[in-house]
Amino acid sequence: MTFAIRDITARKQTEAKLLQKMDELSRAQVTLNCIGDAVVCTDLMTNITFLNRAAETMTGWSVKEACGRPLADILNTGAATGGDSSATTAELAILEHAAELVPTRCVLVRRNGRKIQIENSVAPLHDQKGNASGAVVVFRDTTTAQAMAQQIAHAADHDWLTDLPNARLLSRRIAKAIKSARRKKSRLAVLFLDLDGFKYINDSLGHSTGDRLLQSVAKRLVGCVRGCDTVSRQGGDEFVVLLTDVQRAEDPAHLAGRLLRSVASVHTVDQQELHVTTSIGVSIFPDDGCNAEALLMNADTAMYQAKENGRHGFQFFKPVMNARAVERQSIEEALRSALERREFSLHYQPKVDLRTGLISGAEALVRWNHPDRGLLLPSTFIPVAEDCGLIVAIGRWVLREACAQARDWADAGFPDIGVAVNVSTIEFRSDSFVPEIFAILEDTGLAPSSLELELTESVFMKHLESAASVLQSLRSSGIQIAVDDFGTGYSCLSYLRKLPVDTLKIDRSFVAQVALGADEAAILTAIISMARHLRLQAIAEGVETREELEFLHLQNCAQAQGYYFSRPVPVSNFVRLLLQQADGQKFEGARHTRHTQLACAHA
């Protein structure tokens, strides 16, 4: 028997290497199929040789269908900016033996035609000898990431509530509009809007209702402008409109008028009809500023002037307003520490009973002892206090001080000298208004019947039913309610039947008509008569002449106050008037006696 012996060592080594290579390839495929990134391999001709599972999912092609096909068929891509496709980049990678990144913003057209955003990179493949054998493309789906990045970028430039451009984006748009206006030698306008009466709605009806009202306002504003203009929300209830390419001088005024009318129309929120108005300030490039900051600041300054002019209107910026703005800022800064420094004081103006000639009460009027400017009247700082949110704290101090003083007069033996305190709209609509009043009365020990609250018609007219409830709770405790400046507000007389009111304070403008004759004084006569028939007290404000006093006496007006009797005076001077009255000196109605002159002189 013959045996043939062959050396198979080389074959076994080859088989072992092949098995090892297959094992490595198998492990590589398993690994590639487990990663989240898509991997596509090609040969030297950029025909597909491999796709992992992520690549199959993203392209819509299976590895069996894709193998042998050109890379461009399977990985149909193009840069969003118009760059090369992945196939072209793969060829370059093979030729140049170098990895190359495809632009980040790259679009992949899947097999079903759907487009997705991808980010990929390409590198050459080499054999054992180092020669190029193909290419590998690695890519990932960035659609979600890019969408999120866009959302983040959008959120950074837009208001979260209204989706309008915010202050940051507005500033850039104004800067861009200024450059355009300079090239064209044209103008642009910036309109600064602040809502009137929004704080009450927000506080009384809730922030959710306030937010929806702001959304309604934003929609109205956008509806008033062109596509090339910008409506921005600055925060709170402030908006800015950028009017570009202004051709005619009257264009900003026409737009301001449209904005005023649109905002003032009734807003329906949660089946409630809400009313709000706006005040607008306007600045013009290049007249009122050469950059965004100056234009916004000057438009803001003009807006405050529009509010001072009565609100629900617009005002163009004027250079003189800058001085007022600086003064206002100075007042606001000093006002914030005025309470802590005890710089406020009260002056008292007597109210005189025209039937007896006796002082029947006093109106408490706040004064500010400014450290640099001396004694300031309320007209100088109360509007600023209302705008910056300090009016409630100041009003609370005035009420407590006045009540404590009235209690001191009672303890000193001066009978029936009540005190009247003015109440602003913001104070009246505060949730803590009624509890604060009752707490102050309890702390000071003043009888409720000795306190009179003076409110203008505008304080309660917009929400009559809720105002009636608040007033009733006050009046039921004995507190007196007076309508201040009667006849100058809404003048809807039906509210006098619905509201628990005790006194009508007739505005000085009607009292002054006496000097013009009986016909001109007819309104004054009618108000006094109406008050009498409604069983209300009538008190005439601003009485300055003997002629006015005699007319009021003849018309049987119950009370009066004004410079004819006394200016508002410090408490020491008011006490002197009370002491003179205790000594028998009094105001005697229409008779201008020596005692009256004496009292006025001391005041």
Side-chain angles (χ1 to χ4, degrees):
M1 182 180 291
T2 303
F3 294 93
I5 300 174
R6 286 183 301 204
D7 187 356
I8 61 172
T9 302
R11 189 180 75 180
K12 289 297 183 181
Q13 289 176 343
T14 300
E15 288 177 356
K17 289 180 180 179
L18 181 60
L19 288 172
Q20 183 181 0
K21 186 174 183 180
M22 290 176 64
D23 187 45
E24 290 175 354
L25 180 59
S26 177
R27 286 199 301 269
Q29 288 179 337
V30 170
T31 301
L32 291 174
N33 282 330
C34 289
I35 66 175
D37 285 353
V39 178
V40 176
C41 296
T42 75
D43 58 19
L44 283 171
M45 304 303 293
T46 66
N47 293 321
I48 298 292
T49 59
F50 173 76
L51 275 74
N52 72 347
R53 287 176 185 169
E56 289 180 314
T57 301
M58 256 186 264
T59 63
W61 290 84
S62 69
V63 64
K64 290 182 180 180
E65 294 172 308
C67 282
R69 289 178 174 271
L71 176 63
D73 290 351
I74 308 305
L75 197 58
N76 182 7
T77 63
T81 55
D84 294 331
S85 69
S86 293
T88 304
T89 310
E91 292 172 355
L92 290 172
I94 293 170
L95 291 172
E96 297 180 6
H97 295 263
E100 184 167 342
L101 292 176
V102 174
T104 301
R105 293 171 56 196
C106 184
V107 178
L108 167 65
V109 182
R110 302 184 63 203
R111 189 175 185 180
N112 61 8
R114 179 171 169 259
K115 296 180 179 180
I116 61 173
Q117 300 286 332
I118 67 169
E119 182 179 80
N120 64 350
S121 61
V122 181
L125 291 174
H126 299 90
D127 58 20
Q128 293 180 349
K129 295 181 180 180
N131 298 319
S133 60
V136 60
V137 182
V138 181
F139 57 97
R140 64 174 60 92
D141 185 350
T142 60
T143 304
T144 302
Q146 289 196 35
M148 186 175 296
Q150 290 173 353
Q151 289 176 1
I152 293 173
H154 182 85
D157 285 336
H158 290 77
D159 172 52
W160 66 272
L161 178 65
T162 62
D163 202 38
L164 293 176
N166 59 17
R168 171 179 162 176
L169 180 55
L170 175 70
S171 182
R172 295 204 303 268
R173 290 191 178 178
I174 293 177
K176 183 179 179 181
I178 288 174
K179 289 181 180 178
S180 176
R182 282 176 174 152
R183 286 195 309 269
K184 299 178 181 178
K185 295 184 179 180
S186 62
R187 296 174 179 270
L188 63 87
V190 172
L191 293 82
F192 200 107
L193 295 81
D194 185 272
L195 300 184
D196 309 318
F198 174 76
K199 188 177 187 304
Y200 167 68
I201 293 175
N202 204 39
D203 292 345
S204 61
L205 301 182
H207 293 289
S208 177
T209 298
D211 285 347
R212 284 192 283 276
L213 176 58
L214 289 173
Q215 290 170 337
S216 178
V217 170
K219 187 176 181 180
R220 298 269 184 92
L221 298 180
V222 171
C224 290
V225 302
R226 305 165 300 177
C228 59
D229 301 323
T230 296
V231 178
S232 167
R233 181 182 177 222
Q234 298 293 284
D237 59 346
E238 294 180 339
F239 297 84
V240 171
V241 175
L242 169 61
L243 181 63
T244 60
D245 196 22
V246 175
Q247 298 296 326
R248 299 176 301 174
E250 62 268 24
D251 286 347
H254 289 164
L255 175 59
R258 287 200 304 274
L259 296 172
L260 288 172
R261 291 188 295 272
S262 182
V263 172
S265 297
V266 63
H267 298 260
T268 302
V269 176
D270 295 336
Q271 299 181 340
Q272 299 181 85
E273 291 190 350
L274 302 180
H275 297 270
V276 68
T277 58
T278 186
S279 299
I280 304 175
V282 185
S283 63
I284 305 295
F285 171 84
D287 307 57
D288 304 325
C290 58
N291 55 51
E293 182 180 5
L295 290 170
L296 286 168
M297 181 181 68
N298 290 337
D300 185 26
T301 299
M303 180 274 294
Y304 277 109
Q305 184 63 50
K307 282 190 177 292
E308 291 179 10
N309 290 346
R311 308 194 174 197
H312 186 40
F314 66 89
Q315 175 70 54
F316 280 85
F317 174 77
K318 298 175 183 176
V320 69
M321 293 179 185
N322 271 328
R324 295 177 189 166
V326 171
E327 179 184 12
R328 184 189 182 284
Q329 183 64 28
S330 174
I331 289 175
E332 180 176 336
E333 291 177 0
L335 200 57
R336 293 189 180 280
S337 58
L339 272 176
E340 295 178 4
R341 296 177 180 176
R342 299 182 179 181
E343 293 173 355
F344 291 113
S345 62
L346 292 185
H347 283 202
Y348 297 89
Q349 186 172 40
K351 296 191 293 184
V352 178
D353 187 325
L354 296 186
R355 289 161 293 191
T356 65
L358 298 175
I359 296 174
S360 57
E363 180 178 357
L365 298 164
V366 65
R367 299 291 187 264
W368 181 11
N369 300 295
H370 193 282
D372 299 320
R373 302 173 60 183
L375 196 66
L376 299 182
L377 298 178
S379 58
T380 304
F381 61 89
I382 289 299
V384 179
E386 290 179 337
D387 288 337
C388 67
L390 292 174
I391 189 62
V392 173
I394 293 174
R396 190 182 299 120
W397 180 88
V398 169
L399 183 63
R400 181 176 292 276
E401 187 75 8
C403 288
Q405 184 60 66
R407 177 58 194 265
D408 287 346
W409 291 333
D411 291 344
F414 297 113
D416 303 325
I417 304 298
V419 65
V421 176
N422 291 280
V423 176
S424 71
T425 302
I426 297 174
E427 291 176 85
F428 182 76
R429 292 170 179 172
S430 169
D431 291 338
S432 62
F433 177 64
V434 173
E436 284 282 353
I437 289 177
F438 290 151
I440 288 173
L441 287 173
E442 183 176 355
D443 291 346
T444 59
L446 182 67
S449 58
S450 295
L451 174 63
E452 182 176 68
L453 300 178
E454 296 187 4
L455 306 97
T456 61
E457 293 167 286
S458 60
V459 170
F460 42 71
M461 281 304 298
K462 285 187 177 180
H463 299 275
L464 199 57
E465 297 303 324
S466 60
S469 176
V470 172
L471 294 179
Q472 188 58 54
S473 66
L474 294 170
R475 196 164 180 259
S476 61
S477 71
I479 296 172
Q480 303 293 296
I481 306 297
V483 180
D484 197 15
D485 301 330
F486 180 77
T488 62
Y490 286 83
S491 300
C492 178
L493 299 182
S494 62
Y495 78 82
L496 292 177
R497 293 171 28 248
K498 298 179 181 179
L499 295 176
V501 172
D502 301 287
T503 303
L504 299 183
K505 298 197 72 176
I506 306 170
D507 188 72
R508 161 68 190 163
S509 60
F510 299 115
V511 176
Q513 298 295 311
V514 170
L516 303 178
D519 290 342
E520 284 73 14
I523 294 178
L524 175 59
T525 301
I527 293 174
I528 295 171
S529 176
M530 179 185 66
R532 187 164 53 249
H533 283 88
L534 291 174
R535 295 184 175 84
L536 300 175
Q537 288 281 325
I539 177 168
E541 295 184 282
V543 177
E544 295 183 358
T545 68
R546 180 178 180 180
E547 182 183 9
E548 291 167 357
L549 181 60
E550 289 176 344
F551 184 88
L552 293 170
H553 187 74
L554 291 173
Q555 297 300 323
N556 294 315
C557 183
Q559 299 180 76
Q561 70 181 88
Y563 288 0
Y564 182 81
F565 305 108
S566 171
R567 292 176 177 272
V569 294
V571 63
S572 58
N573 291 37
F574 189 83
V575 170
R576 192 176 303 154
L577 292 176
L578 294 177
L579 290 172
Q580 290 173 347
Q581 179 171 284
D583 290 340
Q585 300 178 22
K586 62 181 181 178
F587 304 104
E588 297 187 18
R591 292 184 295 280
H592 190 209
T593 66
R594 181 185 65 82
H595 300 305
T596 302
Q597 293 173 333
L598 179 63
C600 290
H602 279 292

